[in-house]
Amino acid sequence: MTELAREYGEGLYALATEEALEERLLEETGALLGIFREQPDFLRLLGNLSLPKEERLSILDGALRGQVHPYLLNFLKLLCERGAIHEYAGCADAYRQLYNHSHGIVEAQVTTSVPLTDAQRRSLTERLKQMTGKAVQLRERIDTAVMGGVVLEMDGKRYDNSVATRLENIRRVISGQA
């Protein structure tokens, strides 16, 4: 995340906090992030500086007025006006991090070769909650390259208990590289 995205995300979060809108704007920033990822051409259109600024703002207004809180719409317009709409993902990430920090939530990215069952998900979430003393927001990713086991990333640390890593460690020992 860039410094600009962090500053703008912090600014949006400060406004949301003052107006008691933290949760609503968290949901809306996340939903917009998903839309922008699904429709990258829309974000490129808004960032196209060859279009007059008024036209880009009008497109944004027409697409989102009444769909998102006016503060978020104005935030997007500000990014658009300053030619920084491409920083939106970083802004949303900074906002989410601040929200999680102030609400005692830790994010954990878990990568497995197959989807977790509900029981596995609950068990992992409960274990992480006991370890951290915080609420845990689990983000799941499927990657068949792990072959089995789990790769967990949380609080800047990586815990790799995947079959792929275990096999790689065995290969290093056998080849004398360990």
Side-chain angles (χ1 to χ4, degrees):
M1 153 186 352
T2 66
E3 185 65 23
L4 179 88
R6 188 185 60 71
E7 287 179 16
Y8 276 59
E10 286 176 359
L12 182 61
Y13 187 76
L15 175 62
T17 301
E18 286 176 20
E19 301 293 329
L21 293 167
E22 302 101 323
E23 191 168 336
R24 177 173 177 183
L25 291 187
L26 176 70
E27 291 170 9
E28 290 183 3
T29 56
L32 273 177
L33 189 57
I35 291 168
F36 289 160
R37 285 186 176 143
E38 290 172 9
Q39 303 292 326
D41 290 342
F42 183 67
L43 204 56
R44 276 193 289 278
L45 177 67
L46 294 174
N48 183 348
L49 300 180
S50 65
L51 286 175
K53 178 175 51 173
E54 295 76 22
E55 189 174 336
R56 288 181 283 131
L57 294 177
S58 177
I59 291 168
L60 195 53
D61 202 45
L64 297 175
R65 181 169 297 286
Q67 305 299 314
V68 298
H69 192 280
Y71 289 162
L72 183 55
L73 179 56
N74 288 338
F75 177 76
L76 290 166
K77 287 180 178 180
L78 180 68
L79 288 176
C80 200
E81 285 177 346
R82 297 197 175 160
I85 195 73
H86 62 280
E87 294 284 354
Y88 178 75
C91 297
D93 190 42
Y95 184 98
R96 189 187 73 253
Q97 288 176 10
L98 288 165
Y99 179 91
N100 287 348
H101 179 73
S102 71
H103 290 86
I105 299 169
V106 65
E107 288 184 14
Q109 171 80 41
V110 62
T111 305
T112 56
S113 61
V114 296
L116 294 173
T117 65
D118 288 341
Q120 289 170 326
R121 188 176 299 107
R122 280 191 302 274
S123 175
L124 180 58
T125 302
E126 188 55 39
R127 243 173 146 182
L128 294 174
K129 183 178 178 181
Q130 290 171 357
M131 282 175 49
T132 63
K134 296 180 177 181
V136 176
Q137 185 176 60
L138 207 57
R139 294 179 183 268
E140 298 178 47
R141 202 182 95 181
I142 306 300
D143 182 356
T144 56
V146 300
M147 292 190 249
V150 174
V151 177
L152 179 72
E153 296 175 49
M154 183 175 70
D155 285 339
K157 295 180 183 154
R158 181 180 173 99
Y159 307 92
D160 190 337
N161 191 24
S162 67
V163 171
T165 298
R166 287 186 253 158
L167 288 173
E168 177 61 23
N169 290 340
I170 291 169
R171 186 195 63 76
R172 284 185 188 159
V173 169
I174 290 172
S175 68
Q177 295 176 351

